[in-house]
Structure formats: C-alpha cells, structure tokens
Amino acid sequence: MIISWDEYFMGVAIFSAYRSKDPHTQVGACIVNEDKHIVGVGYNGMPNGCDDREYPWGRTGEFAEQKYPYVVHAELNAILNASTSLKGCRIYVSLFPCNECCKAIIQSGIREVVYLSDKYAASEATKISKRMFDSAGVRWRRMETELREVPVKFEVSDARDLQNA
Ligand SMILES: Nc1nc(=O)n([C@H]2C[C@H](O)[C@@H](COP(=O)(O)O)O2)cc1CO
Ligand SMILES: [Zn+2]
C-alpha cells in the first residue's frame, strides 16, 4: 500500500488525535511546510500544568465546569509547538477550525487548511472561520480520499532474528 502526501499528513493528524483525553471529540492537527516537512503537530488537551484528570471534560452545566474555557484546540497546540516560522505552510486538521483557531492560523502565515470533518458546519464559529479565511486569502478544502482506513501494526515478527541469533 502506498499513500498520498495528503493521506500521509492527515494520517499524522488523526494519529495525534488519539492522544487527546477529550471523551467526546478528539481532534488532531499537522502543519507542513513548502518542502513537505512536518513542522508542528497537536491535539486538543488541557494546558501544560493543568492536570487533565482534575479539569472537567463535560459539555454542559456551569461554564467553569465545562471543558470549553480550558481546553487548547489541536490547531493552536500545533501552531504553538511548531519549530519554525509557519509562513506559507499548510495545516491538516481532522475537524474544521473554530473562529479562534482561524485567527491564529491566519496570523501565523499558514496559507491553506485541509480538513476531514466539518461536523459543526452549521455553527456560527465555523461560518465565521470561513468568512475570515476567505477575507485573508487562506484556502480551505476538504480532504479527498478513497481510503476508509489504514492498518497500523505494532506487532512485528522477529522470528528470523531469533533464528539467526
Ligand atoms: N477545530 C477544532 N479543534 C479542536 O481541537 N476542538 C476541540 C475542542 C474540544 O476539546 C473538542 C470539541 O468538543 P465537542 O463540543 O465536540 O464536545 O474539540 C474543536 C474544534 C471545532 O472547531
Ligand atoms: Zn479552535
């Protein structure tokens, strides 16, 4: 099996999402420069030092008891984790960016957003993001792929090595 560049980078974003402790929505992001080098990855999680077993993961109730005011989105983590300037880069995200991440994406110099899910397309945040991306000339497109899943094996046979030992 050989995967495309888009599938590869989105795969890295999806794999990163599996690190998220969010029980409802795990999101991953992968930033790639013009040389097709990965320069930053991230997933949605609590800020450093904020223990993700102590902070809430709920979606309802008192504002301070919900996850929303605390959690750092995957895109922002990827931007903040990046090792270099993001001018001219592309970001692969498993879920369309919200308006807050949209602003960070624009200001960082990222020029293209490739996304997989747009499950909150009807939300104000997503509509506002699309408006700002369009004004700023940041392209956005849904990932196109025939792939449904890619097998990842962690079990490797070392029988031959044992035989030769
Ligand atoms: N693009 C995004 N990147 C993200 O990292 N997130 C995070 C914030 C929350 O932790 C979770 C969304 O929670 P929920 O409302 O689907 O239970 O995903 C959310 C979005 C949506 O805009
Ligand atoms: Zn966001």
Side-chain angles (χ1 to χ4, degrees):
M1 159 183 256
I2 297 175
I3 58 174
S4 69
W5 283 114
D6 272 0
E7 289 160 350
Y8 172 49
F9 296 129
M10 188 60 85
V12 172
I14 294 166
F15 224 71
S16 305
Y18 282 120
R19 284 283 310 142
S20 176
K21 304 287 194 311
D22 191 319
H24 188 259
T25 305
Q26 293 175 302
V27 186
C30 173
I31 304 175
V32 178
N33 71 14
E34 285 159 314
D35 294 329
K36 295 191 161 51
H37 295 165
I38 295 174
V39 293
V41 289
Y43 56 88
N44 52 326
M46 294 301 167
N48 293 339
C50 301
D51 192 329
D52 49 39
R53 290 160 302 184
E54 287 173 20
Y55 280 78
W57 284 113
R59 312 174 72 225
T60 53
E62 292 287 312
F63 189 53
E65 302 306 320
Q66 302 171 14
K67 64 184 169 181
Y68 298 109
Y70 308 104
V71 74
V72 183
H73 289 195
E75 302 92 317
L76 188 59
N77 267 329
I79 289 169
L80 296 172
N81 292 340
S83 46
T84 58
S85 160
L86 301 182
K87 294 220 173 351
C89 284
R90 179 186 291 164
I91 187 166
Y92 290 82
V93 277
S94 58
L95 179 58
F96 198 93
C98 76
N99 60 302
E100 291 298 330
C101 291
C102 166
K103 290 184 270 186
I105 288 168
I106 292 169
Q107 296 304 77
S108 72
I110 290 172
R111 300 306 294 160
E112 189 175 23
V113 176
V114 184
Y115 64 95
L116 206 51
S117 164
D118 198 7
K119 69 173 177 171
Y120 295 129
S123 74
E124 286 296 293
T126 300
K127 288 180 192 161
I128 291 166
S129 287
K130 288 174 181 170
R131 177 182 178 188
M132 287 196 284
F133 281 143
D134 288 346
S135 298
V138 174
R139 295 181 302 277
W140 46 275
R141 63 178 166 90
R142 188 190 287 275
M143 163 95 189
E144 277 177 29
T145 178
E146 304 279 291
L147 276 182
R148 302 294 12 119
E149 58 181 39
V150 177
V152 179
K153 284 188 198 152
F154 282 92
E155 208 172 43
V156 289
S157 167
D158 46 9
R160 183 189 290 268
D161 289 344
L162 286 175
Q163 262 173 20
N164 293 339

